Amino acid sequence: MALTIFIMQLALSILAFPMYLLNFLGLWRWTCQKWFPYFLEWFTVTYNKQMASKKQELFSNLREFEGPSGKLTLLEVGCGTGPNFKFYPPGCRVTCIDPNPNFKKFLIKSIAENRHVQFERFVVAPGENMHMVADGSVDVVVCTLVLCSVKNQEQFLREVYRVLRPGGALHFLEHVAAEPSTWTYFWQQVLKPTWYILFDGCDLMRESWKPLERAGFSKLKLQHLQAPLSIRPVVPHIYGYAVK
């Protein structure tokens, strides 16, 4: 089986040789950051339709985490084009963080379409280093399809824990590694190297539930599901929330 996977990986790398060459020359990252927001804008429309019920369920309890001010302060990390805004409760104050500055114009469009939320600012930074956000200053952190691509999951979760106020919560929805010995797991192994470069550092095979379990939250509600998606390698998902 390992030989079969290697041969198929090699075949894919040959087919994607121009991308690998650009990556070797240090040019792919710049190219990817330019085109990725356009891809994500298209992808998240389909994703939101197929995952609408799960997102509604995931975000249904956001109001429970309002702070003493009576307004929900929400930090979305890896905000992308802003596809989650439509699921947030009216009046919540939203700050967005993403390492890709090219998402800004897409966020502006999403803000205009979701006037029920109070947008505060967009910060260009990786989730592992959110020094511009004060300790204990937010009620809720949201990350969807983010843990697959952060460089250091443990450091990212430490930062999330730091910026949350006591009693605040992290809400997450992530694609993860499939069960071993399944066809989905087989294709994740085949596609992983090419997928990682093509989709800006997205790792198909992360067991993201494990760092969440180790992150020290006082309460963790986590569920596995097979998402109703047509792209099989990203069908395995986890979702839920963790309370500080």
Side-chain angles (χ1 to χ4, degrees):
M1 183 65 76
L3 180 60
T4 301
I5 290 169
F6 173 75
I7 292 170
M8 295 183 74
Q9 286 178 341
L10 183 61
L12 267 179
S13 66
I14 292 170
L15 289 171
F17 176 74
M19 180 187 71
Y20 276 88
L21 178 60
L22 286 172
N23 189 58
F24 176 76
L25 296 173
L27 300 174
W28 177 253
R29 176 70 176 170
W30 179 87
T31 304
C32 190
Q33 284 212 327
K34 289 290 185 182
W35 75 261
F36 193 62
Y38 292 94
F39 163 78
L40 207 58
E41 184 182 39
W42 167 82
F43 172 76
T44 52
V45 170
T46 303
Y47 187 83
N48 266 358
K49 287 179 181 177
Q50 295 173 327
M51 297 294 288
S53 62
K54 287 302 175 187
K55 282 197 172 186
Q56 288 165 355
E57 177 187 345
L58 175 65
F59 298 131
S60 63
N61 69 343
L62 287 178
R63 285 288 189 198
E64 297 176 16
F65 298 100
E66 286 182 353
S69 68
K71 277 199 171 186
L72 184 71
T73 302
L74 187 149
L75 173 67
E76 182 165 356
V77 186
C79 57
T81 59
N84 292 325
F85 290 176
K86 64 188 292 185
F87 299 100
Y88 295 158
C92 72
R93 297 180 298 191
V94 179
T95 294
C96 292
I97 290 182
D98 200 286
N100 188 342
N102 296 299
F103 279 120
K104 185 173 182 179
K105 68 177 181 181
F106 296 91
L107 274 179
I108 291 170
K109 178 184 175 184
S110 188
I111 293 160
E113 294 170 350
N114 294 277
R115 296 291 188 182
H116 66 285
V117 299
Q118 181 182 332
F119 181 75
E120 299 205 320
R121 58 176 172 151
F122 172 56
V123 179
V124 178
E128 299 94 324
N129 183 12
M130 299 187 286
H131 64 273
M132 68 297 296
V133 182
D135 295 3
S137 61
V138 298
D139 301 316
V140 170
V141 175
V142 169
C143 68
T144 59
L145 306 182
V146 171
L147 287 173
C148 59
S149 59
V150 295
K151 288 182 172 57
N152 187 317
Q153 290 182 322
E154 286 76 13
Q155 176 59 25
F156 169 74
L157 290 170
R158 282 194 291 270
E159 278 289 89
V160 168
Y161 196 90
R162 178 186 65 79
V163 302
L164 281 171
R165 65 165 178 80
L170 164 67
H171 285 61
F172 56 89
L173 174 65
E174 302 287 339
H175 72 82
V176 293
E179 287 285 336
S181 302
T182 62
W183 278 111
T184 300
Y185 189 77
F186 170 80
W187 284 110
Q188 285 180 337
Q189 292 178 89
V190 170
L191 293 170
K192 179 178 175 176
T194 300
W195 187 286
Y196 183 85
I197 298 173
L198 180 61
F199 294 114
D200 202 19
C202 175
D203 189 336
L204 281 171
M205 300 186 66
R206 284 192 170 173
E207 298 175 332
S208 298
W209 61 90
K210 292 182 178 180
L212 281 164
E213 291 168 349
R214 297 192 298 262
F217 289 98
S218 63
K219 176 182 178 181
L220 175 63
K221 183 177 181 182
L222 184 152
Q223 298 182 62
H224 290 256
L225 77 146
Q226 296 297 301
L229 303 173
S230 55
I231 306 173
R232 294 301 303 174
V234 294
V235 163
H237 270 56
I238 57 170
Y239 75 110
Y241 64 93
V243 181
K244 180 176 178 179

